[in-house]
Amino acid sequence: MESRSASVFGIDRSLAGKAWRWRGGNMDLSEGFSAGPAGLEDDIVTQLLLSRGVPRDDLERHRNPSLRAFLPDPSAFRDMDAAAERLAQSVMTGETVTVYGDYDVDGATSAALLILLLRALGHDARYYIPDRLLEGYGPSGEALVRIAGEGSSLIVTVDCGAMAHEALEMAHQAGVDVIVVDHHKCSPVLPRAAALVNPNRLDEDELAAGHGHLAAVGVAFLLAVATVRTLRRRGYFETRREPDLFALLDLVALGTVADVAALHGLNRALVAQGLKVMAKRENIGTSALIDASRLGRAPTCSDLGFALGPRINAGGRVGESTLGVRLLTTTDADEARDIAAQLSRLNDERRAIEQAVQEMAEMQIDRQHNRSVIVVAGEGWHPGVIGIVAGRLKEKTGKPTLVIALGADDTGNGKGSGRSIAGVDLGAAIIAAREAGLLVAGGGHAMAAGLTIAPDGLDALSDWLDERLEADVARASASQSMQLDLALSPGGLTPGLVETLESAGPYGMGWPGPRVAVGPVRIVKADVVGADHLRLIVSGPDGGRFKAMAFRSAETEMGQALLHAAQGRRLWLAGRAKIDDWGSRPQAELHLDDAAFCD
């Protein structure tokens, strides 16, 4: 077996400038492959699981991830029992409860989950979603006091609140209890709350801290489990049915994937089971969202991240922040269709705004080629799209990136959003920058962060981040390579293979989709389709012929080489094997990540 450090097929520099390496063991099946024998399929799935860190003695648990196998005792998390007792008390006494959410998908699904839970328990809850532009991220003290004044004696913040010291102190002074359900990084001193449930509390023990990859909606689901258990112990269900918590898993899956939470362990089980729930289309809101996304089949993990999630997000980014929660909690099918259609229109608007901001941001990148962290800023940039643009620029540059909308609030401060690369904890750096006095506010987690900055603080922040993260970025960049799971001859790229590969999913952050090398091939046809997508028709010496798509790549160095310099030359192609079901019968195709010449 070839060592993990050796290059695959001797490729040390591909068209994307990367060395090809095996993710796990050598899975070179390019001399011949058939998807038929069950034993071979099992070997592929086993290798995929092992190469994603599954111990050999734990393979069976991970083949079909179930909640029974992965769900921890919620009481393992600090303040969980206190939160469940307080929420159960509100149900039994009929208190007025308000769920205070964030305006993104994780916040909307977390809020919707608790609202639907309380509704199933016979208790209606109010909700409050702040306006991204007018109020910014997280609970404000003024809003909490106002909610208390309107009659709520309990407020549950979801996907926010872990760092809201001043706001929660104001709520306490107003006499209202606040339960915080969050997953963002915490400071050593926690804000005052009736309970603060967050696996990323610094005082959590090893078991709970091991679930720090949960999205807020995952933490909210654990609170739902704990609350139902508490009510059961109190005899609440002697005269009523217990709620079906599994019916809430479609929301958990949507929020987890859209928040780019790592899909290993419990998260993978939550998403795998949530996709099954979503396929039943019993939630009126998610069903309308599927229809608005024009999906003619059960949603996949990729659909949650690229079709359903962006529509929910569009409400908070460029529309009305409450649309997502309204959609996911409505019992009126007509209302659901109307909201889903509105979110689709807003998503189209968001795309146009995003493209304009990205074009302006890219003009600033060339001046920062020596920087370890890219920081771009502009007047008039819409704060609702800066996170998306940061992600795009991060992919383009391979560096952590912050995009800042200057003058985004009444004080003239800038609002920023950042995305990081694997191995560089941007959230911790932003928290440290805030503590160093470089920011008005800021926080986040390893891969994403948000901030508020004074208009004259950009240069100081850029220099500080560059110095702090230079070594981390250098190490992360040096270790980057094109990780491959298996290699195939062109004839081996079949629908049966795709089905085998997908059986080891769902895939996402922290549980990467299998990357396949296919070759050697020659290009039969190459053209540009859509805005900037490269389409290839290739064939191999074994008679295999297939389509490969390289999205948003026509103008890249790799895209230009494939269009103009590859005619007649033999290549290896690397990417994700997918099913193209547009024709009369499904065909396997390759979504291209990289390519390399054989000679």
Side-chain angles (χ1 to χ4, degrees):
M1 179 175 290
E2 193 169 358
S3 72
R4 298 178 75 173
S5 60
S7 60
V8 178
F9 306 127
I11 298 170
D12 288 315
R13 184 171 178 80
S14 66
L15 294 182
K18 294 184 178 181
W20 286 14
R21 301 283 187 265
W22 293 115
R23 192 189 310 275
N26 181 332
M27 287 247 285
D28 183 4
L29 308 179
S30 58
E31 295 301 316
F33 174 80
S34 169
L40 183 55
E41 291 181 16
D42 287 343
D43 285 346
I44 290 175
V45 173
T46 296
Q47 183 61 54
L48 291 175
L49 296 176
L50 290 172
S51 64
R52 281 149 184 78
V54 177
R56 187 170 290 277
D57 60 2
D58 201 19
L59 285 170
E60 292 310 310
R61 188 168 70 114
H62 289 265
R63 286 187 193 279
N64 296 292
S66 67
L67 285 190
R68 181 182 297 275
F70 284 93
L71 194 70
D73 182 348
S75 296
F77 296 81
R78 291 191 182 275
D79 279 6
M80 181 67 81
D81 289 342
E85 291 283 351
R86 185 65 186 85
L87 196 56
Q89 176 188 332
S90 72
V91 171
M92 298 188 74
T93 59
E95 289 179 70
T96 300
V97 179
T98 294
V99 181
Y100 192 117
D102 187 26
Y103 36 67
D104 68 359
V105 185
D106 193 17
T109 52
S110 299
L113 185 148
L114 291 184
I115 291 166
L116 293 178
L117 169 71
L118 292 171
R119 186 183 295 169
L121 293 171
H123 188 70
D124 284 331
R126 302 173 180 177
Y127 60 85
Y128 186 93
I129 310 297
D131 184 280
R132 177 189 291 265
L133 299 181
L134 300 179
E135 299 176 83
Y137 169 77
S140 71
E142 293 79 5
L144 295 179
V145 171
R146 185 168 63 253
I147 292 169
E150 293 170 351
S152 291
S153 54
L154 175 63
I155 300 172
V156 185
T157 71
V158 288
D159 198 28
C160 59
M163 298 290 288
H165 293 79
E166 182 179 344
L168 266 62
E169 181 62 34
M170 290 177 65
H172 175 76
Q173 295 298 327
V176 63
D177 286 342
V178 179
I179 295 172
V180 175
V181 179
D182 204 353
H183 69 132
H184 293 96
K185 289 185 177 294
C186 297
S187 59
V189 177
L190 298 173
R192 180 179 292 203
L196 195 155
V197 186
N198 185 337
N200 289 305
R201 285 176 55 153
L202 299 181
D203 59 349
E204 277 291 14
D205 61 20
E206 184 176 357
L207 190 155
H211 290 87
H213 62 299
L214 285 172
V217 71
V219 183
F221 181 77
L222 291 176
L223 176 58
V225 173
T227 301
V228 169
R229 184 174 61 184
T230 299
L231 288 168
R232 184 188 306 127
R233 189 167 56 243
R234 292 190 178 189
Y236 187 71
F237 300 114
E238 292 178 0
T239 58
R240 64 169 62 237
R241 291 182 59 183
E242 291 193 16
D244 179 10
L245 296 181
F246 272 75
L248 302 172
L249 288 175
D250 58 343
L251 300 178
V252 181
L254 178 57
T256 298
V257 173
D259 211 51
V260 202
L263 294 192
H264 56 76
L266 176 57
N267 273 352
R268 184 164 167 259
L270 290 169
V271 172
Q273 301 307 317
L275 286 170
K276 296 177 183 177
V277 173
M278 189 173 288
K280 298 178 182 178
R281 298 181 60 138
E282 294 176 349
N283 181 297
I284 290 173
T286 55
S287 180
L289 196 61
I290 293 169
D291 289 339
S293 302
R294 299 178 181 176
L295 294 177
R297 48 170 171 72
T300 64
C301 196
S302 177
D303 295 326
L304 303 189
F306 294 102
L308 277 63
R311 283 171 165 78
I312 296 288
N313 257 334
R317 292 186 186 279
V318 298
E320 182 184 337
S321 61
T322 62
L323 286 174
V325 175
R326 285 172 52 198
L327 173 67
L328 298 175
T329 58
T330 185
T331 58
D332 185 323
D334 290 335
E335 181 186 27
R337 280 192 294 271
D338 290 344
I339 296 174
Q342 184 178 356
L343 287 171
S344 288
R345 291 192 296 271
L346 289 170
N347 195 44
D348 291 339
E349 180 183 340
R350 184 270 305 167
R351 285 175 178 155
I353 296 171
E354 172 196 329
Q355 182 176 354
V357 173
Q358 182 170 340
E359 289 174 355
M360 290 184 284
E362 286 183 350
M363 295 174 65
Q364 300 181 25
I365 292 178
D366 291 340
R367 300 195 298 269
Q368 301 190 44
H369 64 277
N370 291 325
R371 290 280 192 182
S372 296
V373 179
I374 303 296
V375 180
V376 295
E379 294 278 355
W381 291 2
H382 198 299
V385 303
I386 55 177
I388 303 173
V389 174
R392 300 271 193 220
L393 298 185
K394 181 261 295 187
E395 291 297 327
K396 183 168 186 167
T397 63
K399 297 178 180 180
T401 301
L402 287 168
V403 178
I404 299 171
L406 299 176
D409 62 21
D410 293 338
T411 65
N413 289 331
K415 296 289 185 180
S417 187
R419 298 294 183 268
S420 194
I421 61 176
V424 180
D425 191 335
L426 184 60
I430 292 301
I431 291 173
R434 187 200 68 229
E435 293 173 346
L438 295 168
L439 298 172
V440 176
H445 46 80
M447 300 299 290
L451 59 87
T452 302
I453 186 170
D456 59 354
L458 282 176
D459 290 341
L461 175 66
S462 297
D463 293 342
W464 189 91
L465 287 173
D466 201 55
E467 181 177 352
R468 178 184 175 92
L469 296 178
E470 181 179 11
D472 291 343
V473 173
R475 281 192 296 269
S477 299
S479 65
Q480 285 185 355
S481 60
M482 187 62 59
Q483 299 290 302
L484 298 171
D485 290 284
L486 69 159
L488 302 168
S489 63
L493 188 64
T494 65
L497 171 73
V498 178
E499 184 177 347
T500 297
L501 296 176
E502 290 302 317
S503 69
Y507 299 105
M509 176 63 67
W511 194 266
R515 187 175 285 119
V516 179
V518 188
V521 298
R522 296 184 191 275
I523 296 177
V524 177
K525 180 181 179 182
D527 58 359
V528 177
V529 296
D532 187 32
H533 311 314
L534 177 64
R535 177 176 59 188
L536 304 176
I537 304 297
V538 301
S539 65
D542 64 351
R545 182 183 177 105
F546 63 89
K547 179 176 72 176
M549 294 293 301
F551 297 101
R552 294 188 298 273
S553 298
E555 297 302 322
T556 65
E557 184 176 337
M558 179 185 76
Q560 289 298 301
L562 293 173
L563 279 169
H564 304 297
Q567 280 70 20
R569 300 186 66 180
R570 296 190 310 146
L571 304 105
W572 280 96
L573 304 180
R576 292 285 308 274
K578 294 288 187 178
I579 294 292
D580 178 5
D581 52 11
W582 283 102
S584 58
R585 61 190 181 92
Q587 299 285 336
E589 65 181 25
L590 195 67
H591 289 187
L592 206 61
D593 293 321
D594 202 357
F597 292 119
C598 299
D599 45 28

